[in-house]
Amino acid sequence: MKEQEFLQELKEINLFQQALAILGWDTQTGMPEKASDDRGEVESYLYGLAFEKEVGPKIKEALTYFENRQDELSEVGQAAYRVVKEQYDLNHAIPKEKMEALSGALSKAHGSWQKSRASKNFADFRDALETNIRLTKELIPYWKKDEATDYDVLLNQYEPNMTVEILDKVFAEVREGILSIRKTLEEKGTEPNTDFLSRKMTVAQQREFVIGVVTQLGYDFSRGRLDDTIHPFMIGINHNDARITTRWDEHDFTMATFGVIHEAGHGMYEQSIDPKYQYTPVATGTSMGIHESQSLFNEIIIGSNKQFWKKQFPFLKECAPGTFDDISFDDFYDSLKKTQASLIRIESDSLTYPLHIIIRYEIEKLIFNGEAQVDDLPQIWNDKYEEYLGIRPENDLEGILQDVHWSNGSFGYFPSYALGYMYAAQLLEAMKKEVDFDKVLASDDYSPIKSWLTEHIHQYGASKKPNELILEATGETLNPQYLIDYMKKIYFDVYKVK
Amino acid sequence: MKEQEFLQELKEINLFQQALAILGWDTQTGMPEKASDDRGEVESYLYGLAFEKEVGPKIKEALTYFENRQDELSEVGQAAYRVVKEQYDLNHAIPKEKMEALSGALSKAHGSWQKSRASKNFADFRDALETNIRLTKELIPYWKKDEATDYDVLLNQYEPNMTVEILDKVFAEVREGILSIRKTLEEKGTEPNTDFLSRKMTVAQQREFVIGVVTQLGYDFSRGRLDDTIHPFMIGINHNDARITTRWDEHDFTMATFGVIHEAGHGMYEQSIDPKYQYTPVATGTSMGIHESQSLFNEIIIGSNKQFWKKQFPFLKECAPGTFDDISFDDFYDSLKKTQASLIRIESDSLTYPLHIIIRYEIEKLIFNGEAQVDDLPQIWNDKYEEYLGIRPENDLEGILQDVHWSNGSFGYFPSYALGYMYAAQLLEAMKKEVDFDKVLASDDYSPIKSWLTEHIHQYGASKKPNELILEATGETLNPQYLIDYMKKIYFDVYKVK
């Protein structure tokens, strides 16, 4: 087997995936509503062809041949080999009927979840959730390598090399840090006024503003586009085509503004992967956590920066003539950083957000490493919200039914969100050693920030693991103290805590 | 071989084609500009897989097996068999190197054509055109069945069973009819005023109007969508997903209005094909000419109707408040039907349009059945414009370089446009025997018109040939007199010819 043959097979798999990505994008951005059955046929046919190749004879042969001959591969070939081997090892031994049982259960579970949301009653989702958990538990032995616990196995599907041991420690620190900041703000802080944030900004005005902002940040519209959707996402088709999406609320411009800045962070990552990896499985983000670190770097780290807003507030006023003329810069800036306990994760602010994640992490651990019964989950959920956030859901829709993840079997995914946030804060401190962050954001040229992220993160695609990237970029392993210090700085400033 | 196996193979081919259709739509409606190389890779890979199946062992086996066993096929299977056999017979014997030579030449020719448009000089396109013609001539022997002339062979690729003998006769009648109408208008007519047509209507106003109009006409937005593009088109992915596109000019609302009405006609055809044909090559329009008859029925036959505009003019005024308040209905209606000789086909009006087509038809006949030299074509083109339309291009961009067709090898395609127009006028007369056309267009319910077209044309997809459809729907073969009478009625009315 020659490297060329291996790479050609990977390219053909990748071309199917690119076609599927466009079809998926279309499905979520404006496919005619009645086209969904036919679309399902097209997608499952192409998906099947790609899957046949992924576990097919060529790939098997390549894995065997190159196992002890990696020196015959170029650097790109070696990186591709590692990713392919990992994916193959993960899934090839699973009996087909177990895989089909899960995929059948998941598609039913989505319907049950939607039904339960309508009834606001966990009972309508309970059986489906129990089945999802049971079938996932059955797969863990096939996935398991040397992980310490079953939940570690799930974690690793989204964040390679992450462990319960690490997370227990960092989440404890983050939780204590946030609770302590919240206490200080409550006792000594002054809450900012946010009334004017609901002033009307038309979609056209918001679009002009946010397109201007993300272009300055370095999202390249000649290799991307912005479309409307219901649940915003970024989809990386290849490094020349990384598309972002948003929804709009004319009485809350912050939703689309921070949403698009967030998705643009994902898009900038995909756009900046070294083109040498194209047509291989290396040409994508390395993990959910690292991906989220890039979107949150944009949304929170840059999007909470005072110098950034000093520069952008006049542009915002230009895009919405007259709307914010009576608002001082300081009042405007402070309004963006109000914090308040809330029940819904995706509506929460950048101080309380990690608490929502920690609650889910603790519950998932109980499910897979512990003894929690499915029937007890709503009570556990609600108790934890009361304990950590001081508020209690009035119904299951405000509680355990709010997220789609468990209905589609994504157990172990949630921690990525908080990991991304911690990575982002840690990357900021490392970046500051080389880049005058505030000064750059006050200037007309934001490129030093993107260049730093591209140099240390983006370019590598999936050729390095998350822990490797963080260690090399910042000189240390994951350290939650950066996030806690960062939160203190931002919120004590806005809340005028001396 | 069982029918089921044959239909399954056709379905898989069709699923590739659906994926390719979405990719093609995306390429033309907003794909990021730098994504085109990667997109080319995806498209040619999927195209190759589809082509391998189309000429592959399963299809060959099915064609052999069912050749004398068509009674083993259902009605759908039989219709599919006929279409597949025709396509296969047309192309399977062509040596691969001849096919590749043509496809290589075409992709170069497109570049030459674009270059020549920039220089406005035919010389830059000459060699590429000569090559396209030569390579096409080399394929004609492989395509030829029992056609009387080489050009008949090309015609039949777009309009099965159409012949030079028929076209010579009907085009002579149409040309004489139009020239005679134009003479009458010039001598006795009063030209309508069109000044106010350039009044500004925003894209949003135009969009509201035209979406309202095509929805009333029967285009189903739950099985379609409208997007912006540079060269408007309709693409039928399946009967639940037939998408239309347009471009906008804020100082000429008629462009997008008639453009969208036109494309919606194509879309309504694809949306109304009997679903029993889905996943087979029968599930599409039967010919370019019949397809064009449906778009032109919408755009010209309905779009020139006085009762239609009596109903729609108030809606237009509602969409563009104040813009046309000072314009009487009669002045407005007349303005839409001004006729004037023009050099550019796609900007021409509904009286002179067929002359543009006839000129191209005569030149294509000279190229393939006659002795025209490539170097003489610009002169021939210009002379014919002077003869038929009384105006002469000042450069080749206004003349022979205006259309893309010859650069992509579509010789024999042009007549479809005029055929569609003649079919549309003939269908109108047949429809009028069952539907009170003016009364329906004056009412709130246009469905009787679409129902008639679906019953007689749309539902059959490609299961009937154009001449069969026209004969069954109208009781006679193609008769150009309906078009001439129709033009007289419309233009003598607008130009107040007593």
Side-chain angles (χ1 to χ4, degrees):
Chain A
M1 156 100 36
K2 291 278 194 312
E3 171 169 28
Q4 193 42 47
E5 212 181 320
F6 174 49
L7 293 178
Q8 177 61 30
E9 189 70 0
L10 294 182
K11 178 171 176 174
E12 293 182 9
I13 293 168
N14 179 265
L15 294 175
F16 278 127
Q17 290 167 337
Q18 291 200 31
L20 282 162
I22 291 287
L23 292 168
W25 168 85
D26 184 71
T27 303
Q28 292 178 75
T29 53
M31 179 185 70
E33 57 176 278
K34 290 193 178 141
S36 64
D37 287 351
D38 296 270
R39 175 59 51 85
E41 295 269 353
V42 178
E43 286 180 335
S44 58
Y45 179 56
L46 294 188
Y47 182 81
L49 292 175
F51 185 74
E52 273 173 30
K53 277 188 177 284
E54 281 168 335
V55 298
K58 278 248 176 86
I59 293 295
K60 272 185 201 159
E61 191 195 333
L63 290 176
T64 309
Y65 180 87
F66 291 114
E67 181 153 24
N68 299 307
R69 295 187 187 88
Q70 287 182 52
D71 53 320
E72 292 180 23
L73 292 169
S74 66
E75 184 231 316
V76 170
Q78 288 178 19
Y81 172 85
R82 290 194 301 271
V83 175
V84 171
K85 183 165 165 51
E86 274 170 24
Q87 292 175 349
Y88 186 84
D89 287 349
L90 206 58
N91 290 313
H92 82 281
I94 299 174
K96 204 177 166 204
E97 62 276 14
K98 286 206 186 285
M99 212 52 159
E100 284 171 357
L102 179 61
S103 99
L106 296 182
S107 89
K108 272 188 213 155
H110 192 75
S112 302
W113 175 67
Q114 286 177 313
K115 193 180 161 207
S116 72
R117 285 174 59 84
S119 68
K120 303 183 185 182
N121 189 347
F122 179 74
D124 289 322
F125 180 48
R126 187 221 167 274
D127 290 352
L129 177 58
E130 192 173 57
T131 305
N132 284 359
I133 291 169
R134 181 173 53 78
L135 293 172
T136 301
K137 282 182 172 169
E138 288 180 18
L139 293 183
I140 289 177
Y142 298 97
W143 288 326
K144 200 159 185 167
K145 296 187 298 279
D146 51 3
E147 292 88 346
T149 76
D150 281 2
Y151 188 60
D152 283 272
V153 174
L154 298 176
L155 268 182
N156 280 206
Q157 310 230 330
Y158 302 99
E159 202 65 7
N161 305 327
M162 185 48 58
T163 65
V164 167
E165 195 186 344
I166 298 174
L167 277 187
D168 278 350
K169 190 175 155 294
V170 300
F171 279 169
E173 290 182 48
V174 169
R175 187 186 54 224
E176 290 320 307
I178 293 172
L179 294 180
S180 143
I181 295 170
R182 279 173 55 76
K183 190 152 177 281
T184 307
L185 298 185
E186 204 181 324
E187 288 170 3
K188 306 187 195 162
T190 313
E191 190 165 89
N193 173 28
T194 58
D195 293 350
F196 49 84
L197 289 181
S198 61
R199 290 183 186 174
K200 179 173 180 175
M201 242 183 110
T202 66
V203 170
Q205 292 171 338
Q206 293 186 43
R207 187 186 291 276
E208 186 192 349
F209 175 64
V210 77
I211 284 179
V213 169
V214 300
T215 302
Q216 290 172 72
L217 289 173
Y219 178 76
D220 180 354
F221 276 95
S222 75
R223 300 188 288 139
R225 52 181 286 171
L226 172 62
D227 292 87
D228 297 355
T229 191
I230 296 170
H231 303 290
F233 63 94
M234 183 287 305
I235 187 160
I237 295 144
N238 56 59
H239 75 282
N240 284 318
D241 196 353
R243 303 180 178 195
I244 57 178
T245 58
T246 192
R247 55 199 177 119
W248 310 92
D249 178 344
E250 295 208 323
H251 289 282
D252 177 11
F253 75 90
T254 67
M255 184 181 78
T257 294
F258 289 110
V260 174
I261 291 174
H262 178 100
E263 300 305 339
H266 286 303
M268 287 157 62
Y269 186 4
E270 295 282 327
Q271 288 178 342
S272 308
I273 294 170
D274 194 322
K276 72 185 175 190
Y277 296 123
Q278 74 176 339
Y279 305 131
T280 78
V282 186
T284 188
T286 192
S287 74
M288 292 301 156
I290 296 292
H291 235 305
E292 202 67 12
S293 78
Q294 299 307 297
S295 54
L296 293 178
F297 196 94
N298 257 18
E299 178 194 344
I300 302 186
I301 306 295
I302 294 178
S304 305
N305 184 282
K306 204 173 245 182
Q307 295 310 314
F308 170 77
W309 280 108
K310 259 207 184 119
K311 178 137 187 72
Q312 300 300 340
F313 186 48
F315 176 44
L316 180 77
K317 290 200 280 193
E318 216 179 288
C319 294
T323 308
F324 301 111
D325 283 0
D326 59 327
I327 308 299
S328 75
F329 170 74
D330 285 333
D331 288 347
F332 175 78
Y333 174 75
D334 289 348
S335 74
L336 300 176
K337 301 307 300 177
K338 180 175 167 180
T339 173
Q340 189 168 29
S342 65
L343 292 167
I344 305 295
R345 176 180 63 86
I346 61 167
E347 293 167 5
S348 69
D349 57 70
S350 62
L351 178 61
T352 56
Y353 186 77
L355 298 177
H356 294 261
I357 300 305
I358 292 168
I359 290 170
R360 286 153 179 77
Y361 166 72
E362 292 175 355
I363 295 176
E364 288 188 340
K365 256 197 323 174
L366 282 175
I367 294 172
F368 289 96
N369 290 352
E371 55 302 309
Q373 298 303 305
V374 171
D375 290 317
D376 298 333
L377 296 179
Q379 167 94 30
I380 297 174
W381 181 289
N382 295 348
D383 288 349
K384 285 190 182 284
Y385 265 79
E386 192 152 357
E387 183 187 350
Y388 295 170
L389 283 147
I391 50 179
R392 194 176 181 89
E394 295 201 356
N395 57 56
D396 295 331
L397 181 60
E398 291 178 349
I400 195 167
L401 296 174
Q402 67 183 268
D403 289 308
V404 74
H405 303 59
W406 293 349
S407 78
N408 60 33
S410 301
F411 302 105
Y413 186 120
F414 282 120
S416 315
Y417 296 120
L419 284 166
Y421 196 4
M422 291 186 278
Y423 293 153
Q426 186 165 339
L427 288 169
L428 171 64
E429 285 312 303
M431 183 190 289
K432 277 182 171 172
K433 291 173 194 155
E434 296 168 40
V435 174
D436 189 338
F437 192 65
D438 285 343
K439 200 172 153 196
V440 166
L441 288 175
S443 80
D444 285 329
D445 178 14
Y446 290 175
S447 64
I449 295 172
K450 183 183 156 198
S451 296
W452 192 94
L453 291 169
T454 297
E455 186 192 335
H456 294 277
I457 305 287
H458 302 164
Q459 62 163 322
Y460 298 109
S463 69
K464 293 184 185 241
K465 294 292 167 208
N467 51 333
E468 224 178 322
L469 284 174
I470 293 300
L471 181 60
E472 291 177 14
T474 72
E476 59 182 313
T477 56
L478 175 62
N479 181 347
Q481 195 56 47
Y482 292 110
L483 177 59
I484 298 162
D485 292 345
Y486 169 81
M487 286 171 159
K488 274 190 193 149
K489 184 169 160 284
I490 294 287
Y491 283 96
F492 287 180
D493 170 51
V494 166
Y495 277 73
K496 326 286 177 217
V497 175
K498 309 295 167 204
Chain B
M1 154 100 38
K2 291 278 197 311
E3 172 169 27
Q4 194 42 47
E5 212 181 319
F6 174 49
L7 292 179
Q8 177 60 29
E9 188 70 359
L10 294 183
K11 179 171 176 174
E12 293 183 7
I13 293 168
N14 179 266
L15 294 175
F16 278 127
Q17 289 166 339
Q18 291 199 31
L20 282 162
I22 291 288
L23 293 168
W25 168 83
D26 183 71
T27 303
Q28 292 177 76
T29 53
M31 177 186 72
E33 56 176 277
K34 290 194 178 138
S36 62
D37 287 352
D38 295 270
R39 176 59 52 83
E41 295 270 351
V42 178
E43 286 180 336
S44 57
Y45 179 57
L46 294 187
Y47 182 81
L49 293 174
F51 185 75
E52 271 173 29
K53 279 189 177 281
E54 280 168 335
V55 298
K58 279 249 177 86
I59 294 295
K60 272 185 200 157
E61 190 193 335
L63 290 176
T64 308
Y65 181 87
F66 291 115
E67 181 155 21
N68 299 305
R69 297 186 187 86
Q70 288 183 50
D71 53 319
E72 293 180 23
L73 293 168
S74 66
E75 185 230 316
V76 170
Q78 288 179 16
Y81 172 84
R82 288 194 303 271
V83 175
V84 171
K85 182 164 167 48
E86 274 169 24
Q87 291 174 350
Y88 186 83
D89 288 349
L90 207 56
N91 291 314
H92 83 281
I94 299 174
K96 206 179 164 202
E97 61 275 13
K98 283 199 189 291
M99 215 50 161
E100 285 171 356
L102 179 63
S103 97
L106 295 181
S107 87
K108 274 189 210 155
H110 193 75
S112 302
W113 176 68
Q114 286 177 313
K115 194 180 160 208
S116 72
R117 285 174 60 83
S119 66
K120 303 185 184 179
N121 189 348
F122 178 72
D124 289 322
F125 180 47
R126 186 217 167 275
D127 291 352
L129 177 58
E130 192 173 58
T131 305
N132 283 0
I133 291 169
R134 181 173 52 78
L135 294 172
T136 302
K137 281 182 174 171
E138 288 179 18
L139 293 183
I140 289 177
Y142 299 96
W143 287 328
K144 201 159 184 166
K145 297 188 295 279
D146 52 1
E147 293 90 346
T149 76
D150 280 4
Y151 188 61
D152 283 272
V153 174
L154 298 176
L155 268 182
N156 279 204
Q157 310 230 329
Y158 302 98
E159 200 67 7
N161 304 329
M162 186 46 59
T163 65
V164 167
E165 194 186 343
I166 299 173
L167 277 187
D168 278 350
K169 190 175 154 295
V170 299
F171 278 171
E173 289 181 51
V174 169
R175 186 184 55 223
E176 289 320 306
I178 294 172
L179 295 180
S180 142
I181 295 170
R182 279 173 53 77
K183 192 153 176 279
T184 306
L185 297 184
E186 203 182 323
E187 288 169 0
K188 306 185 195 163
T190 311
E191 191 166 87
N193 174 28
T194 58
D195 294 350
F196 49 83
L197 290 182
S198 61
R199 290 182 185 173
K200 179 172 179 175
M201 243 183 110
T202 66
V203 170
Q205 292 171 337
Q206 293 186 43
R207 187 186 292 275
E208 186 191 350
F209 175 63
V210 77
I211 284 179
V213 168
V214 299
T215 302
Q216 290 173 70
L217 289 172
Y219 178 76
D220 180 354
F221 276 95
S222 77
R223 299 189 289 140
R225 52 181 285 173
L226 172 62
D227 291 270
D228 297 354
T229 193
I230 296 170
H231 303 290
F233 62 94
M234 181 286 304
I235 187 160
I237 295 145
N238 55 59
H239 76 282
N240 284 318
D241 195 353
R243 303 178 179 198
I244 57 177
T245 58
T246 192
R247 54 199 177 120
W248 309 92
D249 178 345
E250 295 207 323
H251 289 283
D252 177 12
F253 75 90
T254 66
M255 185 180 76
T257 296
F258 288 109
V260 174
I261 292 175
H262 177 99
E263 299 305 338
H266 286 303
M268 287 156 63
Y269 185 3
E270 295 283 326
Q271 289 178 339
S272 307
I273 294 171
D274 194 320
K276 71 184 175 190
Y277 296 123
Q278 75 175 340
Y279 306 130
T280 78
V282 186
T284 187
T286 193
S287 74
M288 292 300 154
I290 295 292
H291 234 304
E292 202 66 13
S293 78
Q294 298 309 296
S295 53
L296 293 177
F297 195 94
N298 258 18
E299 177 194 345
I300 303 186
I301 305 295
I302 294 178
S304 305
N305 184 282
K306 204 173 246 181
Q307 296 309 314
F308 170 76
W309 280 108
K310 257 202 185 121
K311 177 134 188 72
Q312 300 300 341
F313 186 48
F315 177 43
L316 180 78
K317 290 199 279 193
E318 216 179 287
C319 294
T323 309
F324 300 111
D325 284 0
D326 58 328
I327 309 299
S328 74
F329 170 72
D330 286 332
D331 288 346
F332 176 78
Y333 174 75
D334 289 349
S335 76
L336 300 175
K337 299 308 297 178
K338 180 176 166 181
T339 173
Q340 189 168 30
S342 66
L343 292 167
I344 305 295
R345 176 180 64 87
I346 61 168
E347 294 168 4
S348 68
D349 58 69
S350 63
L351 178 59
T352 56
Y353 187 77
L355 298 177
H356 293 260
I357 300 307
I358 292 169
I359 289 170
R360 287 154 178 77
Y361 165 70
E362 291 177 355
I363 294 175
E364 289 188 337
K365 256 198 324 174
L366 280 175
I367 294 172
F368 289 94
N369 288 353
E371 55 301 308
Q373 298 302 307
V374 171
D375 290 317
D376 298 332
L377 295 178
Q379 167 94 30
I380 296 172
W381 181 289
N382 295 349
D383 288 349
K384 284 189 183 287
Y385 265 80
E386 192 152 355
E387 184 189 347
Y388 295 171
L389 284 149
I391 50 180
R392 192 174 182 91
E394 294 200 358
N395 58 55
D396 294 331
L397 181 60
E398 292 179 348
I400 193 165
L401 296 175
Q402 67 183 268
D403 288 308
V404 74
H405 303 59
W406 292 349
S407 79
N408 61 31
S410 301
F411 302 105
Y413 185 121
F414 281 119
S416 314
Y417 295 121
L419 284 166
Y421 197 2
M422 290 185 280
Y423 293 153
Q426 186 166 339
L427 289 168
L428 170 64
E429 285 312 303
M431 183 190 290
K432 278 183 171 172
K433 289 173 195 154
E434 296 168 38
V435 175
D436 189 337
F437 192 66
D438 285 343
K439 200 172 155 193
V440 166
L441 287 176
S443 82
D444 284 330
D445 178 12
Y446 290 177
S447 64
I449 294 171
K450 184 184 156 198
S451 296
W452 192 93
L453 291 169
T454 296
E455 185 192 337
H456 294 278
I457 305 287
H458 301 163
Q459 63 161 322
Y460 297 108
S463 69
K464 293 184 185 237
K465 295 294 167 204
N467 53 330
E468 225 178 322
L469 285 174
I470 293 300
L471 181 61
E472 291 178 13
T474 71
E476 58 182 313
T477 57
L478 173 63
N479 180 347
Q481 195 56 46
Y482 292 110
L483 176 58
I484 298 163
D485 292 345
Y486 169 81
M487 287 171 160
K488 273 190 195 151
K489 185 168 158 287
I490 294 288
Y491 282 96
F492 287 179
D493 170 51
V494 167
Y495 277 71
K496 329 287 179 215
V497 174
K498 309 293 170 210

